[in-house]
């Protein structure tokens, strides 16, 4: 372990939310009747639609932007010891909803890697501060975010 320095990094794709989002929606999601990009979650207590990032006027964003988001993830994401021992490496995809108040809800691993890595990724997402919500026509709207996270060692 001296020669190899193990780190977990997050790879942020600005097109987050658009990468195969149709394939990784929750089974509870059904299209809204007006056939917009809105998704209504039957299990969600809030009946407001959830929009995909490419269908809003202003995308939801981490406070301080992408650089601050990368700093947050790099600082807080730890490579689980169990995964290190098994030499696990690869990508996890996390989905969540940014609510109109900027809080994060409905967090889920849509593309798992290893149980310990999946748990760690969700732990870090749950620690994130409130985001700036997406906007449509000047109003805050709920928005789905798809965030790929790369676990790798060097």
């Amino acid at each position: 372990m001296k020669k190899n320095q193990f780190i977990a990094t997050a790879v942020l794709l600005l097109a987050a939310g658009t990468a195969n989002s149709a394939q990784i929606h929750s089974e509870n999601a059904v299209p809204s009747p007006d056939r917009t990009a809105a998704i209504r979650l039957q299990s969600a207590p809030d009946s407001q639609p959830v929009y995909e990032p490419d269908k809003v006027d202003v995308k939801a964003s981490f406070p301080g932007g992408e650089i601050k988001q990368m700093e947050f993830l790099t600082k807080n994401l730890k490579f689980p010891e169990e995964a290190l021992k098994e030499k696990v490496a690869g990508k996890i995809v996390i989905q969540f909803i940014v609510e109109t108040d900027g809080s994060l809800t409905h967090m889920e691993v849509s593309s798992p890697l290893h149980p310990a890595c999946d748990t760690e990724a969700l732990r870090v997402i749950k620690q994130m501060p409130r985001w700036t919500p997406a906007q449509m026509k000047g109003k805050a709207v709920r928005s789905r975010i798809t965030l790929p996270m790369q676990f790798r060692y060097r």
Side-chain angles (χ1 to χ4, degrees), residues 48-99:
Q48 295 177 7
V50 177
Y51 293 91
E52 296 300 327
D54 62 336
K55 303 299 181 188
V56 296
D57 298 332
V58 179
K59 292 180 182 183
S61 61
F62 186 87
E66 295 169 37
I67 292 172
K68 291 292 183 185
Q69 181 180 7
M70 181 62 97
E71 288 173 5
F72 177 88
L73 292 171
T74 301
K75 178 182 175 185
N76 293 288
L77 191 65
K78 307 297 181 211
F79 209 119
E81 285 296 323
E82 180 183 340
L84 283 174
K85 290 176 186 173
E86 296 176 24
K87 297 185 179 182
V88 172
K91 181 174 77 171
I92 295 175
V93 179
I94 304 286
Q95 281 196 331
F96 54 91
I97 294 174
V98 178
E99 299 290 343

Side-chain angles (χ1 to χ4, degrees), residues 10-31:
V11 176
L12 305 176
L13 301 178
L14 291 180
T18 59
N20 298 326
S21 63
Q23 295 174 6
I24 50 182
H25 283 152
S26 167
E27 291 178 9
N28 296 340
V30 293

